[in-house]
């Protein structure tokens, strides 16, 4: 079987989400560089794969698929029984995995990614960080993390006592918040969130992709 | 088997998304009113079900589940083989369903819901519509719908030639855009998007819930 092609960029949070999942599932892949700094994602060749012009997009045989969260769900299903099981073992467990995946996509990621963008990406493009926007999004994220703290005081991982797609989805953006944006206190000030973060960010499958998360 | 309880509000887009799905799957349910105008979603009784204080939340036997898009995924799986199949029939089809579900959640819904909120909800609460915000979000949505137009020129529905969760997710917000916000031109000006909307919004399962989508 040919390796799955991942068209993406090593510093993109959405790309590394998919790479981490492939590592967890012990699936071979080939990373095809879409060089974001030179605008490769807006060129016709890439837009033919993904009309939204964002990374990543995978090609697995005849299937072309984009949207990182849909990709990891597909991988978790296709390779069920290989590598780490990321969906729980019953329909109810899977439902809770998806619930927390949606919480990540709808409530955690919007403020978290705005902070990362303002502190990390805007200056790289020659702009100035909008401090008011950072503050507003930090406030939003604090409220979300307070709910996580309560949840993680009752179960080791978000969906239950097993590592799942829901936890995995949080790795890339939290990595930047903690290690590149000076916002580690959002995590370390919350006992159970901090223990969870220490746990999930020390997974070898994650460390392998995290070390390449550098722009340029 | 006891009917599934849906704690929600008849005018909430997320609630009616779930109700429409239950109708498609021909599943009995009981709607338990969470009266948003009186702040029932922020009271301890409801927060014990859903700490984020938003509707809907379902109870199905021992399982309590929130996040509308996770709920409909659960229902589509649990009742596979009953009512309308909403996930396609192969793993690749299911992957494309989830891809377009993510497009809805990440690219379509944020601008669409902002427009609905500014035009419909803000004035209801005594505020004034921020016209600049509406315009900015209309521009964002136009770009997304241009991609939909291209996609729907090649397949009848978003994920392929079958109605799926991906189409269903678009019903509530588009209903308000077209029928309550005066933004029907966003749809009618695009030939294939318009044909798709005419098709999906005429489904009896949808008309049944749409007629109750009134505030107050």
């Amino acid at each position: 079987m040919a390796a799955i092609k991942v068209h993406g960029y090593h510093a993109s949070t959405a790309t590394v989400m998919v790479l981490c999942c492939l590592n967890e599932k012990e699936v071979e892949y080939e990373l095809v560089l879409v060089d974001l700094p030179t605008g490769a994602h807006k060129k016709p060749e890439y837009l033919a794969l993904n009309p939204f012009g964002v990374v990543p997009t995978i090609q697995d045989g005849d299937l072309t698929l984009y949207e990182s969260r849909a990709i990891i769900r597909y991988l978790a299903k296709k390779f069920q029984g290989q590598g780490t099981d990321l969906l729980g073992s019953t329909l109810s467990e899977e439902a809770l995995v998806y619930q927390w995946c949606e919480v990540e996509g709808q409530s955690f990621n919007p403020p978290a990614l705005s902070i990362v963008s303002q502190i990390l990406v805007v200056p790289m493009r020659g702009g100035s960080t909008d401090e008011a926007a950072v503050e507003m999004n930090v406030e939003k994220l604090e409220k979300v993390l307070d709910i996580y703290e309560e949840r993680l005081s009752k179960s080791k991982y978000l969906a239950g006592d097993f590592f799942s797609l829901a936890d995995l989805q949080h790795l890339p953006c939290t990595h930047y918040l903690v290690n590149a944006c000076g916002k580690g206190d959002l995590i370390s000030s919350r006992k159970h969130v901090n223990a969870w973060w220490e746990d999930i960010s020390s997974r070898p499958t994650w460390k392998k992709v995290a070390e390449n998360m550098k722009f340029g």
Side-chain angles (χ1 to χ4, degrees), chain A residues 21-37:
Chain A
C21 182
L22 284 158
N23 289 340
E24 288 286 347
K25 300 308 290 179
E26 299 169 9
V27 173
E28 260 192 271
Y29 63 86
E30 176 195 346
L31 180 61
V32 183
L33 182 70
V34 181
D35 196 38
L36 301 190

mmCIF file of all heavy atoms in Angstrom, chain A residues 21-37:
data_model
loop_
_atom_site.group_PDB
_atom_site.id
_atom_site.type_symbol
_atom_site.label_atom_id
_atom_site.label_comp_id
_atom_site.label_asym_id
_atom_site.label_seq_id
_atom_site.Cartn_x
_atom_site.Cartn_y
_atom_site.Cartn_z
ATOM 1 N N CYS A 21 -1.484 12.221 14.777
ATOM 2 C CA CYS A 21 -2.457 11.124 14.675
ATOM 3 C C CYS A 21 -1.883 9.968 13.866
ATOM 4 O O CYS A 21 -2.030 8.804 14.250
ATOM 5 C CB CYS A 21 -3.755 11.644 14.052
ATOM 6 S SG CYS A 21 -5.046 10.399 13.939
ATOM 7 N N LEU A 22 -1.202 10.269 12.767
ATOM 8 C CA LEU A 22 -0.580 9.213 11.957
ATOM 9 C C LEU A 22 0.456 8.459 12.785
ATOM 10 O O LEU A 22 0.562 7.226 12.694
ATOM 11 C CB LEU A 22 0.060 9.824 10.707
ATOM 12 C CG LEU A 22 -0.934 10.232 9.609
ATOM 13 C CD1 LEU A 22 -0.341 11.291 8.679
ATOM 14 C CD2 LEU A 22 -1.372 9.010 8.799
ATOM 15 N N ASN A 23 1.222 9.174 13.604
ATOM 16 C CA ASN A 23 2.184 8.515 14.480
ATOM 17 C C ASN A 23 1.488 7.611 15.492
ATOM 18 O O ASN A 23 1.915 6.482 15.735
ATOM 19 C CB ASN A 23 3.045 9.555 15.221
ATOM 20 C CG ASN A 23 4.029 10.247 14.288
ATOM 21 O OD1 ASN A 23 4.346 9.744 13.217
ATOM 22 N ND2 ASN A 23 4.521 11.414 14.709
ATOM 23 N N GLU A 24 0.414 8.110 16.091
ATOM 24 C CA GLU A 24 -0.339 7.295 17.058
ATOM 25 C C GLU A 24 -0.867 6.017 16.412
ATOM 26 O O GLU A 24 -0.911 4.958 17.033
ATOM 27 C CB GLU A 24 -1.511 8.088 17.652
ATOM 28 C CG GLU A 24 -1.128 9.197 18.626
ATOM 29 C CD GLU A 24 -0.678 8.688 20.008
ATOM 30 O OE1 GLU A 24 -0.880 7.495 20.315
ATOM 31 O OE2 GLU A 24 -0.104 9.498 20.767
ATOM 32 N N LYS A 25 -1.301 6.148 15.160
ATOM 33 C CA LYS A 25 -1.863 4.986 14.466
ATOM 34 C C LYS A 25 -0.800 4.134 13.777
ATOM 35 O O LYS A 25 -1.137 3.142 13.126
ATOM 36 C CB LYS A 25 -2.910 5.432 13.420
ATOM 37 C CG LYS A 25 -4.101 6.201 13.970
ATOM 38 C CD LYS A 25 -4.804 5.509 15.122
ATOM 39 C CE LYS A 25 -5.565 4.262 14.732
ATOM 40 N NZ LYS A 25 -6.215 3.607 15.908
ATOM 41 N N GLU A 26 0.472 4.542 13.929
ATOM 42 C CA GLU A 26 1.591 3.806 13.330
ATOM 43 C C GLU A 26 1.403 3.594 11.834
ATOM 44 O O GLU A 26 1.539 2.480 11.307
ATOM 45 C CB GLU A 26 1.787 2.459 14.057
ATOM 46 C CG GLU A 26 2.126 2.656 15.534
ATOM 47 C CD GLU A 26 2.063 1.368 16.353
ATOM 48 O OE1 GLU A 26 1.930 0.283 15.764
ATOM 49 O OE2 GLU A 26 2.112 1.468 17.598
ATOM 50 N N VAL A 27 1.048 4.707 11.184
ATOM 51 C CA VAL A 27 0.798 4.666 9.743
ATOM 52 C C VAL A 27 1.927 5.427 9.037
ATOM 53 O O VAL A 27 2.281 6.536 9.446
ATOM 54 C CB VAL A 27 -0.568 5.319 9.410
ATOM 55 C CG1 VAL A 27 -0.754 5.438 7.907
ATOM 56 C CG2 VAL A 27 -1.707 4.527 10.046
ATOM 57 N N GLU A 28 2.448 4.849 7.984
ATOM 58 C CA GLU A 28 3.488 5.520 7.197
ATOM 59 C C GLU A 28 2.910 6.691 6.419
ATOM 60 O O GLU A 28 1.802 6.599 5.878
ATOM 61 C CB GLU A 28 4.039 4.537 6.162
ATOM 62 C CG GLU A 28 5.348 3.898 6.560
ATOM 63 C CD GLU A 28 5.936 3.186 5.354
ATOM 64 O OE1 GLU A 28 5.596 2.000 5.174
ATOM 65 O OE2 GLU A 28 6.695 3.833 4.614
ATOM 66 N N TYR A 29 3.659 7.762 6.345
ATOM 67 C CA TYR A 29 3.198 8.891 5.545
ATOM 68 C C TYR A 29 4.368 9.614 4.907
ATOM 69 O O TYR A 29 5.517 9.456 5.319
ATOM 70 C CB TYR A 29 2.376 9.862 6.404
ATOM 71 C CG TYR A 29 3.145 10.522 7.537
ATOM 72 C CD1 TYR A 29 3.884 11.687 7.308
ATOM 73 C CD2 TYR A 29 3.122 9.994 8.826
ATOM 74 C CE1 TYR A 29 4.585 12.303 8.348
ATOM 75 C CE2 TYR A 29 3.826 10.593 9.852
ATOM 76 C CZ TYR A 29 4.556 11.750 9.620
ATOM 77 O OH TYR A 29 5.240 12.340 10.635
ATOM 78 N N GLU A 30 4.011 10.414 3.904
ATOM 79 C CA GLU A 30 4.992 11.240 3.224
ATOM 80 C C GLU A 30 4.495 12.676 3.347
ATOM 81 O O GLU A 30 3.375 12.989 2.926
ATOM 82 C CB GLU A 30 5.043 10.816 1.748
ATOM 83 C CG GLU A 30 5.965 11.646 0.885
ATOM 84 C CD GLU A 30 5.699 11.439 -0.620
ATOM 85 O OE1 GLU A 30 4.993 10.468 -0.975
ATOM 86 O OE2 GLU A 30 6.181 12.258 -1.406
ATOM 87 N N LEU A 31 5.323 13.553 3.944
ATOM 88 C CA LEU A 31 4.924 14.964 4.053
ATOM 89 C C LEU A 31 5.351 15.707 2.795
ATOM 90 O O LEU A 31 6.531 15.752 2.465
ATOM 91 C CB LEU A 31 5.562 15.604 5.298
ATOM 92 C CG LEU A 31 5.233 17.092 5.533
ATOM 93 C CD1 LEU A 31 3.740 17.313 5.733
ATOM 94 C CD2 LEU A 31 6.009 17.633 6.749
ATOM 95 N N VAL A 32 4.359 16.246 2.077
ATOM 96 C CA VAL A 32 4.650 17.033 0.877
ATOM 97 C C VAL A 32 4.566 18.499 1.289
ATOM 98 O O VAL A 32 3.491 18.979 1.668
ATOM 99 C CB VAL A 32 3.621 16.737 -0.249
ATOM 100 C CG1 VAL A 32 3.982 17.509 -1.516
ATOM 101 C CG2 VAL A 32 3.540 15.239 -0.516
ATOM 102 N N LEU A 33 5.663 19.195 1.249
ATOM 103 C CA LEU A 33 5.724 20.561 1.768
ATOM 104 C C LEU A 33 4.852 21.528 0.953
ATOM 105 O O LEU A 33 4.992 21.636 -0.272
ATOM 106 C CB LEU A 33 7.175 21.067 1.764
ATOM 107 C CG LEU A 33 7.363 22.480 2.332
ATOM 108 C CD1 LEU A 33 7.142 22.510 3.837
ATOM 109 C CD2 LEU A 33 8.749 23.033 1.985
ATOM 110 N N VAL A 34 3.955 22.209 1.649
ATOM 111 C CA VAL A 34 3.218 23.341 1.065
ATOM 112 C C VAL A 34 3.796 24.563 1.768
ATOM 113 O O VAL A 34 3.485 24.826 2.931
ATOM 114 C CB VAL A 34 1.698 23.222 1.319
ATOM 115 C CG1 VAL A 34 0.951 24.389 0.688
ATOM 116 C CG2 VAL A 34 1.160 21.898 0.794
ATOM 117 N N ASP A 35 4.644 25.272 1.093
ATOM 118 C CA ASP A 35 5.442 26.303 1.752
ATOM 119 C C ASP A 35 4.614 27.577 2.004
ATOM 120 O O ASP A 35 4.531 28.476 1.160
ATOM 121 C CB ASP A 35 6.678 26.612 0.900
ATOM 122 C CG ASP A 35 7.729 27.385 1.707
ATOM 123 O OD1 ASP A 35 7.898 27.075 2.909
ATOM 124 O OD2 ASP A 35 8.340 28.309 1.142
ATOM 125 N N LEU A 36 4.005 27.648 3.182
ATOM 126 C CA LEU A 36 3.103 28.765 3.487
ATOM 127 C C LEU A 36 3.779 30.129 3.325
ATOM 128 O O LEU A 36 3.164 31.038 2.755
ATOM 129 C CB LEU A 36 2.532 28.632 4.908
ATOM 130 C CG LEU A 36 1.722 27.375 5.255
ATOM 131 C CD1 LEU A 36 1.047 27.546 6.609
ATOM 132 C CD2 LEU A 36 0.680 27.070 4.206
ATOM 133 N N PRO A 37 5.021 30.318 3.808
ATOM 134 C CA PRO A 37 5.610 31.654 3.698
ATOM 135 C C PRO A 37 5.718 32.175 2.258
ATOM 136 O O PRO A 37 5.702 33.382 2.037
ATOM 137 C CB PRO A 37 7.012 31.476 4.320
ATOM 138 C CG PRO A 37 6.841 30.350 5.284
ATOM 139 C CD PRO A 37 5.874 29.416 4.608
#
